[in-house]
Amino acid sequence: MHRKNGDYVYVGNSFGGTLAKINIHTKETTLIPLPNPEAHQPYQIGVDKEHNVWTNLWSTDKVAKYNPSAGQWTLFELPTRGTESRYLSVLERPGQPLQVVVPYSRGRKVGVLTPRTDQDIAALKAQVGR
C-alpha cells in the first residue's frame, strides 16, 4: 500500500490481477485491471512524484507502471528469468533519474530499472535520424 501526496492509496491485489485505488477522503474503491489479469500479479506498490503507480509482477519477471492520468499501463521486462520479485522501491533523488529497485528473490540479485524520459527518447530518435 502506498500514498505519495495525493488523494489515493493503491494496493496490489496479487491473485486478482488488479490494483485497488482507494480515495482517502471518501473510501471509494476502484479496481484497475492489469493488461493480463490472469497472469499479471501485482505484489508491492510504489508511487513516484508524478503519481505514476509502479508494481512488480512477481510471477512474470516484469515491472508495470500505471499512469492514472492517462489510464495507461507500461510493462518493463526484467533481464533475469525466474526472479519471483516480491518487493519494489521507487528511488527519486534531486538531479538524478527515477530508479525502480527490484530485488530478485530467486536470482539473489537486485535489479535497478531506470526508465527513459520522453526527452531521452526524443534525443535517441534524433540520433537515429542522422
Side-chain angles (χ1 to χ4, degrees):
M1 181 168 63
H2 202 279
R3 174 179 180 260
K4 193 166 209 166
N5 300 325
D7 296 324
Y8 299 95
V9 293
Y10 293 88
V11 179
N13 299 316
S14 182
F15 291 109
T18 62
L19 290 182
K21 177 181 175 182
I22 305 166
N23 184 303
I24 62 170
H25 306 290
T26 66
K27 312 298 186 270
E28 178 185 356
T29 302
T30 305
L31 295 180
I32 303 164
L34 275 95
N36 183 353
E38 292 80 26
H40 297 154
Q41 297 176 306
Y43 199 83
Q44 188 167 12
I45 304 299
V47 178
D48 66 27
K49 66 182 177 185
E50 303 296 323
H51 300 280
N52 293 308
V53 182
W54 294 85
T55 184
N56 52 323
L57 305 177
W58 69 274
S59 60
T60 63
D61 302 319
K62 295 179 185 176
V63 170
K65 178 181 88 167
Y66 178 69
N67 178 336
S69 301
Q72 180 180 14
W73 286 99
T74 304
L75 300 177
F76 300 88
E77 293 273 343
L78 296 171
T80 301
R81 295 292 155 244
T83 59
E84 197 175 312
S85 64
R86 294 180 185 240
Y87 302 99
L88 168 135
S89 197
V90 176
L91 177 61
E92 295 179 283
R93 297 175 289 181
Q96 299 292 317
L98 169 101
Q99 294 181 315
V100 179
V101 182
V102 183
Y104 297 173
S105 297
R106 287 199 174 173
R108 297 182 187 175
K109 300 178 185 179
V110 175
V112 179
L113 170 68
T114 306
R116 292 187 171 128
T117 65
D118 290 338
Q119 295 84 3
D120 294 338
I121 294 169
L124 290 169
K125 285 181 179 178
Q127 284 180 353
V128 171
R130 291 185 204 161

